[in-house]
Amino acid sequence: MNISWEAATVLIGGVATLAIYSFLIKENPFYRFFEHLFIGIAAGFLPVYTIKSFFWPRVLEPMLGYHIQVYPDGTPTAEYDTKILFYILPMLFGLLYYFIYSTRFSWLSKLVIGFSLGYSGGLAFKGFFAEMVPQLTSSFKPLLVPGESGMDWAMSFQNMFFVFTLLAVMYYFFFTFQRKSVAGDGVAASGRWLMMVCFGAFFGSTVMARMALLVERLQFLLHDWFNEISGII
Amino acid sequence: MKATLGRRLIYLFMMLVVSVPLITNYTVRPAEMKAANQFYSLVENLSVGPNDIAFVAFDFGPNTKAENEPQAEVIVEHLMRKRIPLAVFTQYAQAEGFLTSIPERVAERLMKEMPGEKWEYGQDWVNLGFRPGGALFVQAVAKSTNIAKELDKDAFGASLLQIPAIQNVRTLENVKLLTQFTGLVGVFDTYIQFFQNENYVPSFGHGCTSITIPEAYIYLDSGQLSGLLEGIAGAAWYSELLLQNNPQRAPDAALVINTALGVAHLAVIALIILGNLVAFVGSQRRPS
């Protein structure tokens, strides 16, 4: 029997899917084995793939000059670029992090930590404004929207509801001083209820996403896997 | 014991119900999605010059393949039909396989549909591979004065300066469209925050999983997104739009998956109603 690489992938994929779904019956060694296999693959994939597709071809290979081939007449395909050696400096700086394990030189690791905090803070600061400012400005909506003939009441109501929801939810999280008025409590309670509606929408969409996963797996089992199995039998 | 058996019966019932449309290949017309219409118009009306390109980020893995893969397929198909060169890449290592399989599959399908026409790697699309670095990578591309030189090589080690689809892409202004498909909110944020310069923000279309739809609407409402595909339903409606405008097109998996999902929803609603009825009747019979 001759099974192609693609067919073997599909066959193993089907067995792995069934193993994971077997948990629905009860916890069992078959499920446990594949669970560990998945965790192992997921954990190992990123470092290996980062080295294979990025660190080796883009950093180490050009640094070691392995990307340069030599023609039979002795001419190299490219000149070695010495500027690539500057990559060593940030690498050495990053390696200072490991001094965290030394009592005497742990201050060296703090340089790296400080640098990371600084650049992360700078990115977050810039990112916050780039992300939030358009959302803030778009929340200033006209409460009365003029339509082609008279008012566009549907859009006006939508905007009013949006602004009320925004203010009510913000007011619910306003804890600077105690709320005493009945109206204030009412607005805060509305904010809470509106959030509940939102959480309901989140839950509904989560169920939808999980069902989509089930549908895709069943489609794989019923078509791809079943076809491979029936081909072998 | 009784509760466990009941739970298993529900799982079995759900699997059987969902299997019916999958086995029979039964499809219903998907519901119209406003945000997907917006996305379709965006791609349809995109005007690109000879040095321009569309960036397509597949930031998803096998865990959200069910929803993100059909989304990515319909967008890649639409871009290829419009002959807009595209660069596929990912910031998520596990997406690597999709970078090769999706454009190849779409090109193959289009060539089958239109004999005599050709879609080729290098001319119509380029695979930039896995690009680690998160926000730093995104910023580097956005600020670059020679994007083809900055990104250096494709996923197979070929110089981008030799690949027609991308060799003349210089600045962010040459990137007419960015589309991204993901179930990861953190990765999506990096494009919203940093894929822009002082004078230019490319149009941004996004495909999200059902879980993140409520969050994605915030970006759509603020105009940060120019189009959105909401889970598999968005992909199915986009597929329907492609079908309406290209009647010779063969239906794809999005329509079948969407139909099965609709059946699953109906089954869940029926079970909720049934469960509440049984609980209500049970509480009435129980002595107070």
Side-chain angles (χ1 to χ4, degrees):
Chain A
M1 190 168 55
N2 201 4
I3 298 175
S4 69
W5 175 250
E6 283 77 17
T9 313
V10 172
L11 288 171
I12 295 168
V15 173
T17 306
L18 288 176
I20 294 300
Y21 278 139
S22 71
F23 182 76
L24 297 175
I25 300 167
K26 67 172 196 176
E27 165 89 43
N28 62 78
F30 188 43
Y31 161 78
R32 184 63 66 193
F33 171 76
F34 277 93
E35 189 196 27
H36 283 89
L37 194 69
F38 284 143
I39 294 168
I41 290 171
F45 194 82
L46 183 63
V48 170
Y49 198 71
T50 306
I51 292 167
K52 183 179 159 271
S53 71
F54 175 75
F55 195 59
W56 173 254
R58 291 178 207 278
V59 180
L60 285 183
E61 201 181 27
M63 204 179 268
L64 297 169
Y66 284 5
H67 66 301
I68 302 169
Q69 308 294 317
V70 181
Y71 291 119
D73 65 353
T75 326
T77 51
E79 286 293 315
Y80 183 79
D81 185 4
T82 47
K83 277 186 275 182
I84 195 102
L85 292 173
F86 281 114
Y87 279 12
I88 294 171
L89 294 176
M91 281 185 206
L92 289 175
F93 182 66
L95 286 173
L96 294 180
Y97 195 91
Y98 287 98
F99 278 108
I100 204 164
Y101 296 112
S102 156
T103 322
R104 198 170 159 201
F105 296 107
S106 65
W107 62 273
L108 283 168
S109 67
K110 286 178 185 164
L111 293 175
V112 186
I113 295 169
F115 176 80
S116 308
L117 285 175
Y119 98 73
S120 308
L123 278 179
F125 192 73
K126 190 189 169 195
F128 177 81
F129 282 99
E131 187 171 349
M132 289 300 162
V133 169
Q135 289 174 22
L136 277 172
T137 49
S138 79
S139 69
F140 289 81
K141 293 181 189 292
L143 296 180
L144 292 171
V145 182
E148 282 176 12
S149 55
M151 280 292 169
D152 185 342
W153 289 111
M155 187 51 85
S156 301
F157 176 74
Q158 194 177 309
N159 285 1
M160 283 178 203
F161 189 65
F162 175 89
V163 173
F164 175 74
T165 308
L166 179 73
L167 295 176
V169 173
M170 281 175 73
Y171 189 68
Y172 177 76
F173 287 107
F174 192 72
F175 303 121
T176 312
F177 52 80
Q178 202 179 357
R179 284 189 292 263
K180 283 181 180 164
S181 69
V182 179
D185 281 346
V187 171
S190 321
R192 188 162 168 264
W193 275 100
L194 288 163
M195 277 193 292
M196 291 297 177
V197 173
C198 182
F199 297 148
F202 267 105
F203 182 69
S205 57
T206 305
V207 172
M208 189 169 155
R210 297 292 176 254
M211 284 298 161
L213 296 183
L214 171 72
V215 172
E216 191 275 332
R217 279 296 84 189
L218 283 178
Q219 197 189 32
F220 169 76
L221 287 174
L222 292 169
H223 291 276
D224 303 355
W225 194 65
F226 184 76
N227 284 346
E228 289 300 339
I229 291 275
S230 53
I232 291 168
I233 294 169
Chain B
M1 178 65 194
K2 210 174 169 185
T4 319
L5 187 68
R7 199 188 66 201
R8 286 171 193 158
L9 282 175
I10 290 170
Y11 294 145
L12 186 66
F13 172 72
M14 285 304 299
M15 282 187 175
L16 290 175
V17 161
V18 170
S19 299
V20 175
L22 295 176
I23 293 169
T24 57
N25 265 331
Y26 174 71
T27 58
V28 291
R29 191 171 184 266
E32 183 172 351
M33 310 295 280
K34 207 176 148 190
N37 280 340
Q38 238 174 290
F39 205 151
Y40 189 89
S41 306
L42 174 71
V43 178
E44 191 62 25
N45 300 319
L46 203 65
S47 63
V48 290
N51 300 335
D52 297 336
I53 198 166
F55 272 22
V56 184
F58 294 168
D59 295 326
F60 63 92
N63 48 346
T64 58
K65 173 180 181 272
E67 294 185 282
N68 290 137
E69 193 182 31
Q71 293 171 342
E73 270 199 40
V74 289
I75 297 299
V76 167
E77 181 185 331
H78 198 183
L79 288 167
M80 283 189 176
R81 280 182 190 277
K82 293 272 300 169
R83 292 285 181 187
I84 297 170
L86 58 126
V88 295
F89 64 98
T90 183
Q91 291 195 63
Y92 187 57
Q94 290 181 24
E96 182 257 347
F98 300 118
L99 295 175
T100 315
S101 65
I102 292 176
E104 276 181 4
R105 195 162 55 231
V106 172
E108 203 176 301
R109 208 168 53 215
L110 288 174
M111 286 192 281
K112 208 170 158 190
E113 184 188 307
M114 290 173 257
E117 292 223 41
K118 251 182 158 184
W119 280 266
E120 283 178 314
Y121 180 80
Q123 287 290 341
D124 298 286
W125 82 92
V126 56
N127 178 357
L128 302 178
F130 169 54
R131 299 280 168 168
L136 297 178
F137 159 70
V138 174
Q139 281 208 87
V141 175
K143 286 176 188 287
S144 174
T145 51
N146 191 339
I147 290 178
K149 203 174 166 195
E150 171 77 36
L151 295 170
D152 193 25
K153 287 175 182 169
D154 73 353
F156 314 105
S159 167
L160 294 182
L161 298 172
Q162 309 295 322
I163 296 180
I166 198 170
Q167 64 188 167
N168 295 321
V169 175
R170 295 282 176 268
T171 63
L172 193 66
E173 277 81 353
N174 291 124
V175 181
K176 294 298 170 197
L177 173 72
L178 167 71
T179 62
Q180 193 236 6
F181 308 94
T182 191
L184 302 162
V185 180
V187 181
F188 164 70
D189 281 353
T190 58
Y191 296 103
I192 288 280
Q193 294 172 353
F194 302 113
F195 204 71
Q196 53 186 278
N197 62 27
E198 292 77 13
N199 312 312
Y200 178 71
V201 185
S203 300
F204 188 9
H206 175 53
C208 63
T209 55
S210 305
I211 296 176
T212 52
I213 293 171
E215 207 167 338
Y217 278 144
I218 300 170
Y219 297 93
L220 190 69
D221 185 60
S222 66
Q224 288 163 297
L225 285 180
S226 314
L228 175 69
L229 294 184
E230 302 118 311
I232 191 70
W237 178 246
Y238 205 101
S239 175
E240 178 70 21
L241 288 172
L242 286 171
L243 200 62
Q244 282 173 12
N245 293 294
N246 306 279
Q248 73 284 8
R249 177 181 186 264
D252 57 12
L255 293 172
V256 182
I257 295 177
N258 190 53
T259 305
L261 190 61
V263 172
H265 278 187
L266 289 175
V268 168
I269 293 167
L271 285 171
I272 290 171
I273 294 169
L274 189 69
N276 277 284
L277 274 175
V278 169
F280 179 73
V281 172
S283 69
Q284 293 294 305
R285 280 186 186 165
R286 229 173 281 136
S288 56

